[in-house]
């Protein structure tokens, strides 16, 4: 994470790349930029993100057909017969439909259809700009697209509060930013206890293998590492887990790029085979897989703390505080599933 970010787009936070616009999308967002849709929370200075705009109008009285057309654009790998829906009926201005294929709704698209003639009261162009600005600062869900009479965005799991909740001090005084010191102290103690039991060997590590620190010479077929300021002896699984975390990028972090289990197993097999010089057993690969993903938690924790220190003292133009929050968020997000991984017998 030691490489400073590239320069932001030369524009205001409200900058939107103009291409073909759909009839009622006067802000002129890109119509076919679906490939740019990924996970939210890019760090660094505010950057404009092109949002797809589709020339689709959804019938307020029969939302499903139009919603499925949008899903075909946003999630082309979903089979239409597998798409499940859920109506939310609390809103008084718009109509809201959730579309998903897995019961846990981990990947869920919310389709919001504007109420009839609500544009007389609501500036929809300004609404989208505000949505983007808040998203860029980690305060709003991912905006997937707009269409002629609505927009699609990321589902945020949780409970919609009622009147009986909003007066509770534990809710209105809750901070969603950097965890408190006592929480961090507890997590650090947990990491020490949990990771020390994994029996990962101590080796000489680079400790900062992000993409920009890896140089590939295509003419010779050579891969070389640069920037050794963090190099030292460390746990083998930490260095690999940290490298896997860096698949997500630095300036625009997208943890959808974190390597899949299949990719990791191939990578780890080749690594062990090169290290041993002999055949590798599936058990050896699985053991390293568990070690690496558990030590990846320590990587998130370390770079989050590093970013807090940088935020206090660095003169580099980078939003270190926001980056710290992103790494802490990912740590707490993946901790339950990573903790459940068991070493092979």
């Amino acid at each position: 994470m030691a490489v400073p970010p590239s320069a932001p787009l030369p524009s205001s936070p409200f900058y939107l790349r103009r291409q073909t616009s759909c009839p009622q999308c006067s802000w002129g967002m890109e119509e076919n930029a679906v490939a740019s849709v990924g996970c939210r929370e890019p760090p660094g200075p505010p950057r404009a993100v092109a949002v797809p705009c589709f020339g689709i109008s959804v019938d307020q009285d029969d939302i499903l057909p139009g919603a499925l057309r949008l899903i075909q654009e946003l999630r082309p790998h979903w089979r239409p017969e597998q798409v499940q829906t859920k109506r939310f009926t609390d809103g008084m201005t718009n109509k809201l439909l959730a579309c998903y294929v897995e019961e846990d709704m981990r990947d869920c698209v919310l389709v919001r259809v504007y109420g009839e003639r609500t544009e007389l009261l609501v500036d929809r162009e300004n609404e989208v700009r505000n949505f983007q600005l808040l998203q860029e600062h980690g305060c709003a869900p991912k905006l997937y697209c707009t269409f002629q009479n609505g927009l699609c965005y990321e589902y945020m799991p949780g409970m919609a509060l009622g009147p009986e909740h909003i007066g509770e001090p534990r809710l209105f005084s809750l901070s969603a930013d950097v965890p408190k010191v006592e929480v961090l102290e507890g997590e650090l103690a947990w990491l020490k206890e949990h990771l020390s039991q994994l029996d990962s060997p101590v080796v000489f590590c680079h400790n900062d293998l992000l993409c920009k620190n890896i140089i590939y010479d295509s003419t010779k077929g050579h891969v070389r590492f640069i920037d050794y300021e963090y190099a030292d002896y460390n746990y083998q699984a930490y260095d690999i887990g940290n490298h896997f975390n860096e698949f997500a990028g630095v300036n625009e972090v997208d943890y959808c790029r974190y390597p899949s289990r299949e990719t990791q197993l191939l990578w780890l097999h080749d690594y062990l085979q090169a290290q041993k010089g002999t055949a590798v057993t599936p058990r050896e690969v699985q053991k390293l897989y568990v070690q690496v993903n558990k030590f990846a938690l320590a990587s998130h924790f370390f770079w989050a703390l590093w970013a807090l220190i940088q935020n206090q003292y660095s003169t580099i133009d980078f939003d270190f505080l926001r980056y710290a929050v992103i790494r802490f968020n990912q740590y707490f997000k993946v901790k339950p599933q990573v903790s459940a991984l068991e070493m092979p017998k």
Side-chain angles (χ1 to χ4, degrees):
M1 168 50 215
V3 173
S6 58
L9 293 174
S11 58
S12 75
F14 295 139
Y15 170 81
L16 296 169
R17 287 181 282 175
R18 292 187 175 273
Q19 289 192 7
T20 305
S21 60
C22 61
Q24 297 185 25
C25 296
S26 58
W27 45 90
M29 294 181 224
E30 287 186 295
E31 184 169 350
N32 294 308
V34 179
S36 69
V37 176
C39 292
R40 58 185 256 244
E41 300 183 325
R47 295 170 61 92
V49 179
V51 178
C53 178
F54 301 111
I56 296 174
S57 180
V58 177
D59 188 340
Q60 293 186 37
D61 298 320
D62 188 15
I63 297 177
L64 186 57
L68 290 177
R69 289 180 61 197
L70 292 165
I71 293 300
Q72 286 180 338
E73 299 287 347
L74 298 173
R75 298 292 187 272
H77 57 285
W78 287 5
R79 294 166 58 184
E81 64 272 16
Q82 293 180 327
V83 177
Q84 304 180 59
T85 60
K86 178 181 178 180
R87 283 287 298 271
F88 294 94
T89 58
D90 292 335
M92 300 177 65
T93 303
N94 311 294
K95 293 187 177 181
L96 190 63
L97 182 72
C99 299
Y100 55 96
V101 294
E102 297 181 4
E103 291 295 336
D104 58 13
M105 298 176 69
R106 281 182 302 175
D107 185 13
C108 175
V109 177
L110 295 180
V111 179
R112 192 177 81 179
V113 182
Y114 298 147
E116 188 68 29
R117 304 298 290 172
T118 52
E119 70 275 8
L120 296 176
L121 299 172
V122 179
D123 186 334
R124 295 302 183 185
E125 177 179 346
N126 192 55
E127 176 192 19
V128 173
R129 287 173 172 168
N130 289 339
F131 205 127
Q132 283 201 304
L133 180 61
L134 291 170
Q135 174 190 317
E136 287 160 3
H137 288 276
C139 299
K142 173 72 179 180
L143 179 60
Y144 292 138
C145 76
T146 65
F147 51 95
Q148 287 188 341
N149 61 329
L151 46 81
C152 297
Y153 57 96
E154 177 187 22
Y155 170 75
M156 299 180 69
M159 176 183 68
L161 299 185
E164 68 276 18
H165 302 124
I166 55 177
E168 297 182 23
R170 69 183 180 90
L171 294 179
F172 65 67
S173 63
L174 183 62
S175 172
D177 296 328
V178 178
K180 294 182 179 180
V181 173
E182 53 267 31
V183 174
L184 297 180
E185 289 175 343
E187 292 300 322
L188 182 59
W190 181 86
L191 283 169
K192 287 182 177 179
E193 178 182 1
H194 193 72
L195 299 181
S196 63
Q197 302 174 20
L198 297 179
D199 196 31
S200 178
V202 174
V203 298
F204 187 75
C205 298
H206 186 283
N207 291 318
D208 191 23
L209 276 180
L210 67 160
C211 300
K212 299 298 183 182
N213 284 342
I214 304 174
I215 306 300
Y216 173 60
D217 185 341
S218 59
T219 60
K220 298 179 179 179
H222 287 173
V223 172
R224 296 291 185 268
F225 303 147
I226 62 173
D227 290 355
Y228 315 112
E229 59 182 336
Y230 294 98
D232 207 335
Y233 287 96
N234 202 346
Y235 293 102
Q236 176 193 56
Y238 174 89
D239 208 22
I240 301 174
N242 182 73
H243 175 58
F244 286 171
N245 281 339
E246 296 296 351
F247 277 45
V250 174
N251 193 50
E252 294 186 12
V253 178
D254 181 355
Y255 285 109
C256 286
R257 293 194 287 257
Y258 188 81
S260 66
R261 172 183 166 82
E262 291 73 21
T263 299
Q264 289 188 53
L265 293 178
L266 288 172
W267 194 104
L268 296 172
H269 178 274
D270 289 351
Y271 173 89
L272 286 171
Q273 189 162 282
Q275 182 188 43
K276 293 179 59 180
T278 59
V280 178
T281 66
R283 183 185 179 279
E284 290 176 305
V285 177
Q286 179 62 22
K287 177 182 177 181
L288 186 55
Y289 170 80
V290 173
Q291 291 173 328
V292 163
N293 281 273
K294 289 179 181 289
F295 267 94
L297 290 174
S299 164
H300 285 306
F301 200 82
F302 172 79
W303 290 113
L305 294 177
W306 170 89
L308 291 179
I309 297 172
Q310 292 290 92
N311 181 69
Q312 188 70 25
Y313 300 107
S314 178
T315 58
I316 295 176
D317 182 19
F318 184 75
D319 194 341
F320 289 103
L321 180 59
R322 187 154 176 264
Y323 186 78
V325 170
I326 289 172
R327 296 304 293 256
F328 278 133
N329 286 347
Q330 189 66 12
Y331 170 89
F332 286 108
K333 178 181 178 180
V334 302
K335 180 185 174 184
Q337 63 196 66
V338 169
S339 302
L341 293 175
E342 296 183 356
M343 298 289 280
K345 304 297 183 183

